[in-house]
Amino acid sequence: MNDLTGRLARASSRRPWRTLVLWGVAIVLAVAAIGALLGDTLTTDAQMTNDPESYRGYDLLDAHFPPSTDYVDELVVVYSPRRPVTDPGFRAKVDSLARSIEATGAVQPVRTFYSTGEQSLVSPDRHATILLVGLVGDGDEGIESVIDAVDAAATGGFDTTITGQYTADRDFTRLSQEDLEKGELQFGLPVALIVLLLVFGAVVAGLVPVVVALVSIVIALGLTALVGQAYDLSIYVVNMISGMGLALGIDYSLFVVSRFREERRLGSDRRDAIATVGSTTSRAVLFSGSAFVLAMLGMVLVPDTILRSLATGAVLVGIVTVLAALTLLPAMLALLGDRVNALRVPWLGRRAAEGAGTEGRVWSRVVRRVTRAPGRAAVVSIGVLLLLAAPVLSIETGLTGVRELPDRFHTKQGFTMLEREFGVGTPDSVKVVVNGDVRSAPLRRAIGEIARRLRAESAFLQPDVSTSPDGQVANVEALVVGDSRDERALAAVQGLRSTVVPAVFGGVDATVYVTGETAEVLDYRALTDRWLPIVFGFVLCLSFVLLTVAFRSIVLAAVAIGLNLLSVGAAYGLIVLVFLKGVGRDLLGFTEVDVIAAWLPLFLFAVLFGLSMDYTVFLLSRIREHVAGGERTTVAVERAVASTARIITGAALIIIAVFIGFATGDQVEFQEMGVGIAVSLLIDATIVRLVLLPAVLALLGERTWYLPRWLGWLPHLDLDPPSRNPQGRIPAA
């Protein structure tokens, strides 16, 4: 690893224009791939690949029932506060709207109360009716013209709304794009640039990391477009790539540029400075990036297309960002030289340049106060973190539904009117699929009993029984009251599975599956609950091995992992406190929810361990450097923390800004993710790195570096060789 990063840096700096041309070609190819392929490769669909009960139920229905000609994708509601459905003007409005929707050519014949006589399509107060719409062909394209027709009909005292599968997909995709533009481009990126200016004190130095990050994002998106030709990828992979690309690209560039400026300040010429960076900081970047990528691979283990999509995006942007830091960045520095300090910020620029790599007085005072009373500092900080983590014990997980969408979206407006007028909010239903000789007397009685119990349950409406032509499968189907993903629906469907179905079909020769949208949510929650400890174990074991190899100490590896767990636990607790308990939710402008996204704990754990590895490697390599130079561990900790605190704090603030950008959006799952990552990194860069880690290492003393003799064969991996600074100062990484 040592020779590799040094050779890459030297080769890139010797022929910088060739390196820039190669990266330019990669950008052009990536943009071409994005334009030609990306839009067709991303989907809002989520699939579990472990064949859960809900999917087995769908498979039975598909195998035994002929394709339906009266399926429903969208529900259109026409409402008038003054006219009942029996009014001729009301019928004229409905008939006109039905003709307009059919004229789009995107739907099968629209069914209405007037064409079918179905009383269930009329609200109890007779002032609203539902039009049943099934799309043909590419529903994602056809839905736009259908929505336009519905919007155009909202005249003459009538309200018209639409909700359903394709409308929801469209609105969630648009919300994701809006949040990306608002959070990352309008908030995260500008704030990150401001932090870079404060850290470097120069405009050019501050822009270099942003350029590296943007290049990494574009190329990673191009690679995603190619990967998407073979595998289905979620639309949310774009958000993942943009967030992680900004975070990692700026972080790694911050460390490299800081070290380059320090080497130039110490008198190295341009090429020697780049070579030194390649032999030191670039190694840490390669190690940190590799650890991040491996941590993300933990999510690939989970049989879920969304998590695998997010992991794919993170892995691709992580690899590209590391390559950019090892090759593109040295080439840029070779061309810029000392012009990297151009356009200095008045007053701040000189102080930033002179303070690079030196021990900050404020940070020195803080860490020395901690190491003088390490026991007290450790107990207090651990107590605070455990207190923050405590609310996680009451966490409830699930998936957000239409109810959490902002009111401006068609899906939410249609849901609200449906729920108000009809008691249901979506076209989703629960289906009890019975496989056996459904025409036999015992099964007919059991199927009738299930239908009766569904009719008696207030969470369901209008149960209906249908039998397959071959007599082998029966489908008992009922609409779900309200939002099919809320806790009331989940509890009712879980009760069907765990209590009602076993009681009714016990002793009967049949296989029974409960399926539908709500059942899928239950299956997904069970999936994440099962895989969470597996991913935990995978990432923890991997992190322990990597840290042990890097620092040749099982104690230090265990300490680092334990502290990371505390910061992640505190983040979990604060998410529950804000989003479920409502503490500060209105003040911060977050959406009210009943559950935390089921994928979030697993996702946060993998991401936070990957990101925190940057700071862990950076700080611990400095500590080990001083110990290798003959200093006691406590002194080494004090000097390392004091000299790296400014860079670590700046790097953390940048990533915090990027993910607060997610939290400023309207999509609640990204609000939760943004708050979780931002809070955890804030805790990691302050309480953990400045207080708890120094306190624990001061208590351990020289026992910090314990490595059993039987592990003596581990390689000596010098992430940061001893500094050649004659004044004994520690160069910035």
Side-chain angles (χ1 to χ4, degrees):
M1 185 193 300
N2 297 5
D3 292 337
L4 174 63
T5 57
R7 285 198 305 268
L8 285 174
R10 288 190 291 272
S12 301
S13 62
R14 282 197 202 101
R15 297 181 180 178
W17 285 112
R18 184 180 67 176
T19 303
L20 293 182
V21 168
L22 290 174
W23 278 94
V25 171
I27 292 171
V28 171
L29 293 175
V31 171
I34 293 169
L37 303 174
L38 189 61
D40 297 329
T41 62
L42 302 182
T43 177
T44 56
D45 292 337
Q47 297 291 326
M48 292 169 280
T49 58
N50 62 333
D51 195 28
E53 178 179 340
S54 55
Y55 286 15
R56 297 196 296 274
Y58 291 141
D59 291 341
L60 272 177
L61 293 175
D62 292 340
H64 291 270
F65 282 84
S68 175
T69 58
D70 59 354
Y71 58 88
V72 178
D73 295 314
E74 304 290 323
L75 300 180
V76 176
V77 183
V78 179
Y79 168 76
S80 172
R82 296 180 180 177
R83 303 186 186 196
V85 294
T86 53
D87 186 277
F90 201 117
R91 176 166 187 169
K93 171 63 71 173
V94 171
D95 289 343
S96 173
L97 176 55
R99 288 193 299 270
S100 297
I101 294 174
E102 290 172 349
T104 65
V107 303
Q108 61 181 2
V110 177
R111 287 177 288 150
T112 70
F113 161 65
Y114 305 107
S115 65
T116 65
E118 293 183 33
Q119 291 296 322
S120 61
L121 299 181
V122 179
S123 64
D125 67 0
R126 316 291 290 178
H127 281 270
T129 186
I130 295 174
L131 287 72
L132 304 178
V133 179
L135 280 87
V136 296
D138 188 348
D140 291 324
E141 291 185 3
I143 192 61
E144 292 294 340
S145 56
V146 173
I147 290 174
D148 290 341
V150 172
D151 288 343
T155 59
F158 288 91
D159 288 335
T160 55
T161 61
I162 182 172
T163 190
Q165 174 187 344
Y166 291 104
T167 313
D169 288 348
R170 166 188 179 270
D171 289 346
F172 276 110
T173 300
R174 289 195 173 187
L175 180 57
S176 175
Q177 293 169 343
E178 288 178 10
D179 284 355
L180 175 61
E181 179 179 349
K182 174 184 174 183
E184 299 309 301
L185 301 182
Q186 297 179 13
F187 183 87
L189 186 57
V191 173
L193 185 55
I194 291 172
V195 174
L196 285 169
L197 291 177
L198 293 175
V199 172
F200 287 128
V203 174
V204 174
L207 287 175
V208 168
V210 175
V211 170
V212 172
L214 293 178
V215 168
S216 302
I217 290 171
V218 170
I219 294 177
L221 286 173
L223 293 173
T224 300
L226 297 177
V227 173
Q229 301 308 300
Y231 304 98
D232 289 335
L233 295 176
S234 168
I235 185 70
Y236 300 128
V237 72
V238 176
N239 301 68
M240 184 69 170
I241 288 175
S242 65
M244 291 302 169
L246 283 175
L248 296 177
I250 292 176
D251 239 17
Y252 296 158
S253 301
L254 174 64
F255 296 154
V256 171
V257 174
S258 296
R259 182 60 180 264
F260 173 78
R261 296 174 79 205
E262 171 66 9
E263 289 299 322
R264 290 291 289 151
R265 187 178 68 82
L266 293 175
S268 298
D269 64 27
R270 187 183 310 180
R271 286 191 177 179
D272 286 344
I274 292 174
T276 300
V277 170
S279 298
T280 56
T281 305
S282 293
R283 288 185 232 155
V285 167
L286 180 56
F287 182 86
S288 297
S290 301
F292 174 81
V293 168
L294 291 173
M296 292 302 100
L297 290 177
M299 288 197 295
V300 177
L301 300 174
V302 185
D304 169 61
T305 56
I306 286 188
L307 286 175
R308 286 179 175 174
S309 296
L310 296 176
T312 299
V315 167
L316 290 176
V317 80
I319 292 172
V320 174
T321 303
V322 170
L323 290 175
L326 299 184
T327 58
L328 176 60
L329 194 49
M332 294 173 66
L333 293 176
L335 291 173
L336 287 172
D338 289 337
R339 290 191 296 274
V340 75
N341 298 317
L343 302 179
R344 286 187 175 181
V345 179
W347 182 79
L348 184 63
R350 183 175 297 277
R351 287 181 59 88
E354 292 176 351
T358 60
E359 296 180 20
R361 286 176 293 181
V362 174
W363 308 115
S364 295
R365 284 198 295 269
V366 171
V367 71
R368 285 179 183 134
R369 187 168 296 177
V370 168
T371 55
R372 286 195 192 100
R376 182 172 57 188
V379 169
V380 171
S381 53
I382 290 174
V384 170
L385 293 177
L386 290 176
L387 186 63
L388 292 175
V392 76
L393 298 175
S394 60
I395 190 172
E396 293 287 342
T397 61
L399 290 177
T400 55
V402 176
R403 196 185 301 278
E404 280 74 40
L405 274 172
D407 293 339
R408 66 180 182 274
F409 287 101
H410 287 86
T411 309
K412 178 64 174 292
Q413 295 166 6
F415 167 85
T416 302
M417 185 172 290
L418 269 174
E419 190 174 40
R420 185 188 73 203
E421 298 297 326
F422 292 88
V424 298
T426 66
D428 299 328
S429 61
V430 60
K431 302 174 183 180
V432 181
V433 182
V434 183
N435 184 21
D437 183 6
V438 297
R439 292 169 180 161
S440 65
L443 268 184
R444 285 205 310 271
R445 286 194 297 271
I447 291 168
E449 176 63 14
I450 277 289
R452 186 190 68 77
R453 295 204 184 191
L454 286 175
R455 203 171 289 111
E457 171 59 62
S458 60
F460 306 118
L461 287 175
Q462 304 168 7
D464 179 65
V465 179
S466 57
T467 303
S468 64
D470 61 6
Q472 293 301 304
V473 174
N475 178 26
V476 185
E477 184 173 5
L479 288 172
V480 178
V481 172
D483 189 344
S484 59
R485 295 185 173 193
D486 65 19
E487 278 303 307
R488 179 188 182 189
L490 292 172
V493 174
Q494 182 60 51
L496 271 180
R497 280 184 167 179
S498 61
T499 304
V500 177
V501 167
V504 172
F505 289 92
V508 179
D509 186 18
T511 302
V512 183
Y513 300 117
V514 177
T515 188
E517 177 71 18
T518 311
E520 287 186 56
V521 175
L522 290 173
D523 289 337
Y524 188 76
R525 186 158 66 180
L527 180 148
T528 55
D529 288 346
R530 177 176 183 269
W531 280 91
L532 184 63
I534 296 174
V535 173
F536 267 46
F538 177 84
V539 175
L540 288 176
C541 291
L542 187 63
S543 299
F544 183 82
V545 171
L546 289 173
L547 289 170
T548 300
V549 171
F551 299 106
R552 296 183 59 80
S553 168
I554 61 171
V555 174
L556 194 59
V559 168
I561 288 174
L563 300 189
N564 281 343
L565 284 173
L566 283 173
S567 61
V568 172
Y572 285 171
L574 286 172
I575 289 174
V576 172
L577 201 64
V578 172
F579 289 95
L580 290 187
K581 306 300 182 184
V583 177
R585 182 177 57 214
D586 294 336
L587 178 64
L588 298 171
F590 294 135
T591 305
E592 180 180 357
V593 295
D594 296 322
V595 294
I596 299 297
W599 56 267
L600 190 70
L602 193 153
F603 170 84
L604 277 183
F605 181 79
V607 169
L608 290 173
F609 254 77
L611 290 177
S612 65
M613 191 64 71
D614 289 350
Y615 312 136
T616 300
V617 171
F618 184 45
L619 177 57
L620 295 184
S621 63
R622 287 291 187 248
I623 295 173
R624 193 182 67 167
E625 175 187 341
H626 282 284
V627 171
E631 294 178 354
R632 291 183 298 106
T633 296
T634 300
V635 175
V637 168
E638 292 174 354
R639 296 192 61 195
V641 171
S643 61
T644 60
R646 184 176 63 87
I647 296 298
I648 286 182
T649 303
L653 287 176
I654 289 167
I655 299 184
I656 289 169
V658 168
F659 284 96
I660 285 180
F662 280 107
T664 62
D666 292 323
Q667 192 155 344
V668 65
E669 294 186 350
F670 283 125
Q671 290 178 357
E672 295 167 358
M673 181 188 74
V675 169
I677 293 178
V679 165
S680 180
L681 291 181
L682 179 62
I683 291 171
D684 193 70
T686 53
I687 297 177
V688 172
R689 302 295 171 211
L690 294 178
V691 180
L692 187 52
L693 179 63
V696 171
L697 295 187
L699 288 170
L700 289 170
E702 306 314 312
R703 290 169 294 184
T704 299
W705 311 103
Y706 173 71
L707 183 72
R709 289 184 179 179
W710 58 272
L711 289 177
W713 54 270
L714 290 175
H716 290 261
L717 185 61
D718 288 330
L719 295 182
D720 209 349
S723 170
R724 61 179 186 79
N725 186 338
Q727 298 179 8
R729 294 175 178 176
I730 307 166

